[in-house]
Amino acid sequence: MCNKRQRGLTLIELVMFIVIVGVALAGVLLVMNRVTAHSADPLIRKQSLAIAESLLEEIELMPFTYCDPDDPAAASATSAAGCTTAEAVGPETGETRYSTTTPFDNVNDYHGFAMSGGIVDITNTPVIGLESYQASVTVAPANFADITQARGDALRITITVTGPDNIPVVLEGYRTRYSPNAVP
């Protein structure tokens, strides 16, 4: 009796090995392809978030007074009734973000503001590389425990920035009337 052990692979085993390794490799390459294709998305999202943060900070640093800051009673009014020109939602006639003579001068002025043809700085100069981004602003009364919506002592600021991937990034902030007579 001859007791020889068989060595090597049969053709069927070899073909099965190639098929299994090929399917596994295809799956790994498909995952790598998707990861690589979407690797630029974090950059677009981060840029959108940076634009939204910058615009939100600009708005939150504006005065939030009862009167329009150009009103002579702005520094002494304790309610909108004491104003000659009460501050309204939206900019006053002639005010724009980019004007050197009549710029936005209150948080409420930014309501409805939008940049649709790319992002521009405060001097209305386009920012290179941000031509395909859009931004819009909504300012609305907010209601906190003791700061009632009826008094209008708090505002919710919503910034929406859409990048070239058409995925909106929404950032919200709040501005309270903690110093209503602080006119710059």
Side-chain angles (χ1 to χ4, degrees):
M1 266 197 176
C2 196
N3 208 359
K4 291 185 177 180
R5 292 189 339 178
Q6 182 181 2
R7 292 185 179 185
L9 301 170
T10 66
L11 184 59
I12 293 174
E13 290 171 331
L14 183 61
V15 169
M16 290 300 292
F17 174 77
I18 291 172
V19 168
I20 291 170
V21 169
V23 168
L25 188 61
V28 168
L29 289 176
L30 182 65
V31 169
M32 285 182 58
N33 187 29
R34 287 186 186 245
V35 167
T36 305
H38 296 297
S39 67
D41 286 349
L43 177 64
I44 293 170
R45 183 163 174 79
K46 283 183 178 184
Q47 188 64 53
S48 296
L49 186 58
I51 292 166
E53 287 174 343
S54 174
L55 196 52
L56 182 62
E57 182 178 8
E58 175 185 327
I59 296 168
E60 286 178 335
L61 290 173
M62 285 293 183
F64 180 28
T65 57
Y66 290 112
C67 306
D68 182 80
D70 298 329
D71 190 313
S76 59
T78 56
S79 70
C83 303
T84 308
T85 308
E87 183 60 35
V89 175
E92 287 78 35
T93 305
E95 285 186 347
T96 69
R97 178 179 182 241
Y98 314 109
S99 176
T100 55
T101 56
T102 55
F104 287 166
D105 55 5
N106 204 303
V107 175
N108 286 318
D109 292 342
Y110 283 87
H111 178 70
F113 175 72
M115 287 185 266
S116 58
I119 303 302
V120 295
D121 66 12
I122 197 77
T123 63
N124 204 15
T125 304
V127 179
I128 296 171
L130 303 181
E131 298 86 2
S132 55
Y133 288 82
Q134 301 175 25
S136 63
V137 179
T138 303
V139 178
N143 193 7
F144 294 119
D146 292 332
I147 303 173
T148 63
Q149 191 170 2
R151 285 183 39 199
D153 287 338
L155 295 174
R156 183 175 67 205
I157 305 161
T158 305
I159 312 289
T160 305
V161 177
T162 306
D165 58 357
N166 289 324
I167 298 174
V169 171
V170 179
L171 191 62
E172 289 186 343
Y174 292 88
R175 179 69 157 85
T176 58
R177 196 186 315 267
Y178 55 83
S179 183
N181 299 329
V183 179

